[in-house]
Amino acid sequence: MIQAAAVRAGFLGSYHAGLMTSTKTFSMDDLVALCKRRGFIYPASEIYGGLNGFWDYGPLGTELKNNIRDAWWHDMVRCPPIGPDGEPISIVGLDSSIIQNPRVWEASGHVDGFNDPMVDCRETKSRYRADHLMVLGGEDTGERRLYAYLAGDDEGRDRAVKLLGKYEKVSAEEADWTDRPLVDLPAAALERVVGPDTKEPGSLTEPRQFNLMFKTFVGALQSEDSAAYLRPETAQGIFLNFNNVVDTMRVKVPFGIAQVGKAFRNEVTPRNYIFRSREFEQMEIEWFCHESEAATWFDFWCETRRKWWESMGLTSDSVQMRRHDADELAHYAKEGCGTFDVEYRFPFTSPDFGELEGVAHRGNYDLSRHMEFSKKKLEYFDQPRNERYLPHVIEPSAGLSRGTLAILCEAFTPDEARASKVYMKFQPRVAPIKAAVFPLVNKDGMPEIAGKLYETLRQRWPIQYDAKQSIGKRYARMDEAGCPWCFTVDSDTVNDQAVTVRDRDSLSQDRLAIDQVENWLADRLK
Ligand code: GAP
């Protein structure tokens, strides 16, 4: 949802924080370095110094993200889940334009309602989300200074503690220290707040609302008349095409329309790697149903979506469902019905959780607003009920970029016993490289046999051929890439027509007849 109450959820820490699950501990810095080193994720326009909030996916990151997207499309659109009544449900796909008529965003409520409170620092010209700032100071608001830091930023809080000791002569042991959200301070206290990057108080402005939509101009005339917006969610393209889909696809309520695509938000403080960026991808379903059945479908989608993330390899103790508090609800959420988030324990939120997907009951807010603003009828005639109505909508809205980050975090497995010290334990379904083929050495017919095997396998899957450096280094590279199996052609292959299969997770090495390799792999990648 629109990221309110992020402070309470505690997921705004810098990505230096370590992840501690029952099985592993690692620093986000190590994951970010691996992602760069192995071609998963690069900073956008890096050679020009980057651009805050924008990221590029490298060759392996692109494959990984596409695999997650394709798995979602397969499991939600092509072979959608079985509904609560035991019957298969129906979902169709869509790919709508990123730029739509600007009236769309007035109707959807984004022009008026898609705001975050922001605070500027007059001294450093930095800009912060007001609801991401905490202040540290004495319990009594008296005359003392208060020191601001970004929620979850341990280094920032340490700095505040140090400054309190230095300037306010308050020792770290003093009991009356309080951390509280900046937005809870009375307005008069703001002049005593020292900004996160300043030494003197009074540089922070009062919070003011900031619209998150990116504005652009359509056509040659750059005037307000030609202003338009990059979509902040893929959902609206679905509502706009509701009639088109009903008229052309012979679908009957209840049914869903799904879309995967880019969304853009001018986030005040993009943070935590690709978790909160300004350009990202969403995978959204708008599920249209009769009002009387909306509660059942809401429960169904909450359960289905949680299970889906678990089926993608996120362990159940790293995933939780959380109901939104009343003050977090988006402008479209139906009163009294609420929204659940599927949350994942990211390294920078641990031991708390951060949002991966929102499942919202949007009521008939969007269809009724578009009907009002466009003056076009969007009602549905339900033949079996003999009733004309605006369907209610349950919306499972997942972040593809965030999902990719969660799967990267889950896969990152430190292992001191390996040459690489770490391997990426991707499920084969999402692994960017499914298998690698190596000739042990570059002579004695081995490259020819390995090359032939590679040619065969790559017709069906993303396969890597590597003949450079020692076999140990090649295994290490594949461990970091998260490649589940390596096939090595060695000097025995010529005689026994078999290769060695090395398993990424168990490190077992077994012999397999070369003419069995394709079927063996197909079995495991089913
Ligand atoms: N149509 C509803 C909607 O857009 P949302 O909760 O604002 O709801 C849905 O966004 C999902 O999109 C989130 O759960 C998150 O995974 C992803 N998302 C939202 N803002 C994001 C950002 N700035 N960077 C990366 N992912 C984001």
Side-chain angles (χ1 to χ4, degrees):
M1 295 305 110
I2 312 180
Q3 300 115 19
V7 170
R8 200 169 326 112
F11 61 87
L12 298 161
S14 77
Y15 57 70
H16 300 284
L19 172 67
M20 271 169 289
T21 68
S22 48
T23 50
K24 58 185 179 184
T25 303
F26 69 88
S27 120
M28 261 314 267
D29 285 349
D30 294 340
L31 174 65
V32 172
L34 182 143
C35 285
K36 177 81 197 299
R37 188 166 69 241
R38 284 291 158 238
F40 284 97
I41 297 168
Y42 312 123
S45 33
E46 191 179 10
I47 59 170
Y48 289 97
L51 185 61
N52 196 8
F54 296 89
W55 299 91
D56 292 340
Y57 289 79
L60 295 198
T62 305
E63 292 283 346
L64 174 68
K65 180 160 65 64
N66 288 352
N67 290 344
I68 300 167
R69 177 200 66 192
D70 294 348
W72 182 87
W73 195 263
H74 175 272
D75 297 348
M76 297 296 127
V77 183
R78 297 236 172 98
C79 299
I82 302 295
D85 59 358
E87 293 295 318
I89 63 171
S90 155
I91 302 191
V92 293
L94 185 80
D95 186 0
S96 71
S97 194
I98 284 173
I99 296 180
Q100 302 279 358
N101 187 308
R103 292 270 290 158
V104 169
W105 308 108
E106 289 170 31
S108 68
H110 285 84
V111 170
D112 289 334
F114 199 51
N115 301 315
D116 274 340
M118 95 195 162
V119 158
D120 282 318
C121 177
R122 295 185 197 90
E123 197 180 318
T124 63
K125 308 292 173 226
S126 303
R127 178 162 283 182
Y128 309 98
R129 275 269 297 269
D131 56 338
H132 289 183
L133 283 177
M134 300 290 288
V135 289
L136 186 67
E139 184 59 66
D140 89 275
T141 45
E143 294 302 307
R144 277 176 175 174
R145 292 176 179 191
L146 299 153
Y147 289 87
Y149 64 93
L150 278 165
D153 174 6
D154 296 339
E155 286 170 23
R157 190 178 184 282
D158 289 348
R159 173 184 178 272
V161 170
K162 235 183 245 156
L163 291 174
L164 262 175
K166 190 165 169 194
Y167 294 107
E168 303 300 311
K169 310 287 179 238
V170 185
S171 79
E173 288 73 41
E174 239 184 78
D176 69 346
W177 283 20
T178 326
D179 294 271
R180 68 199 120 167
L182 177 104
V183 289
D184 288 356
L185 289 182
L190 209 57
E191 62 191 36
R192 289 186 291 109
V193 175
V194 180
D197 303 303
T198 58
K199 289 207 176 120
E200 293 303 319
S203 64
L204 296 184
T205 62
E206 277 195 27
R208 60 199 159 92
Q209 292 301 325
F210 170 76
N211 192 287
L212 296 185
M213 279 195 297
F214 277 102
K215 215 171 189 175
T216 186
F217 299 95
V218 176
L221 280 181
Q222 304 228 330
S223 69
E224 273 311 301
D225 291 345
S226 63
Y229 300 98
L230 305 191
R231 68 181 176 201
E233 60 173 12
T234 61
Q236 293 306 322
I238 296 179
F239 297 121
L240 300 178
N241 283 291
F242 176 72
N243 270 1
N244 284 336
V245 172
V246 169
D247 292 348
T248 55
M249 298 307 296
R250 304 172 71 208
V251 280
K252 293 195 171 24
V253 168
F255 75 96
I257 306 180
Q259 167 153 239
V260 182
K262 294 253 179 181
F264 302 83
R265 296 182 189 177
N266 199 2
E267 297 284 357
V268 180
T269 39
R271 302 187 66 189
N272 293 330
Y273 202 28
I274 57 171
F275 179 85
R276 186 182 311 290
S277 44
R278 289 177 166 144
E279 175 178 338
F280 55 96
E281 279 172 88
Q282 293 185 311
M283 308 184 288
E284 298 201 294
I285 300 169
E286 306 305 320
W287 179 257
F288 300 94
C289 59
H290 190 271
E291 181 177 8
S292 64
E293 294 176 350
T296 306
W297 285 113
F298 184 72
D299 293 347
F300 167 81
W301 280 113
C302 286
E303 182 63 4
T304 301
R305 295 302 307 149
R306 181 186 59 75
K307 278 196 192 143
W308 187 80
W309 283 111
E310 287 177 15
S311 80
M312 297 300 289
L314 305 186
T315 53
S316 55
D317 65 344
S318 305
V319 176
Q320 71 169 23
M321 299 298 291
R322 186 180 68 86
R323 181 188 274 281
H324 273 209
D325 294 336
D327 63 344
E328 289 178 81
L329 291 176
H331 58 273
Y332 48 73
K334 187 168 162 54
E335 233 171 87
C337 297
T339 296
F340 265 94
D341 281 347
V342 186
E343 296 188 328
Y344 177 70
R345 189 190 285 130
F346 289 95
F348 39 83
T349 64
S350 182
D352 294 324
F353 293 74
E355 177 184 340
L356 188 57
E357 168 161 354
V359 183
H361 184 172
R362 293 180 82 124
N364 60 12
Y365 173 84
D366 302 272
L367 289 180
S368 66
R369 293 277 292 186
H370 287 306
M371 201 158 96
E372 181 190 334
F373 279 66
S374 69
K375 311 273 183 259
K376 297 278 180 317
K377 283 206 176 334
L378 297 177
E379 284 145 338
Y380 170 80
F381 180 66
D382 191 325
Q383 249 166 355
R385 290 179 198 267
N386 194 23
E387 186 185 340
R388 191 174 291 282
Y389 58 86
L390 279 182
H392 278 227
V393 170
I394 308 300
E395 176 196 64
S397 169
L400 174 54
S401 318
R402 255 183 221 181
T404 304
L405 179 59
I407 283 172
L408 282 166
C409 292
E410 188 75 38
F412 191 93
T413 311
D415 182 357
E416 280 304 311
R418 296 182 189 230
S420 55
K421 307 286 182 223
V422 62
Y423 66 107
M424 297 300 280
K425 201 173 173 180
F426 294 124
Q427 279 194 347
R429 190 181 189 193
V430 296
I433 303 168
K434 305 299 181 199
V437 178
F438 306 148
L440 184 62
V441 288
N442 262 322
K443 55 182 185 183
D444 301 336
M446 292 179 224
E448 289 74 15
I449 301 174
K452 207 168 147 214
L453 179 61
Y454 167 64
E455 279 305 324
T456 307
L457 299 181
R458 75 173 190 161
Q459 303 300 322
R460 295 183 63 181
W461 304 286
I463 305 290
Q464 200 144 96
Y465 181 85
D466 192 355
K468 294 202 187 99
Q469 297 186 303
S470 70
I471 192 76
K473 285 199 171 132
R474 284 181 263 169
Y475 283 150
R477 260 203 300 275
M478 285 302 112
D479 276 351
E480 286 200 333
C483 168
W485 300 287
C486 299
F487 301 106
T488 304
V489 172
D490 56 26
S491 54
D492 290 337
T493 305
V494 181
N495 301 322
D496 68 1
Q497 297 300 310
V499 293
T500 299
V501 193
R502 187 243 194 201
D503 183 278
R504 178 197 65 199
D505 300 343
S506 68
L507 295 179
S508 65
Q509 298 204 12
D510 298 309
R511 290 300 273 182
L512 180 66
I514 203 160
D515 60 3
Q516 298 284 307
V517 169
E518 187 176 350
N519 285 344
W520 186 95
L521 202 51
D523 262 0
R524 278 151 188 81
L525 292 172
K526 243 187 233 157

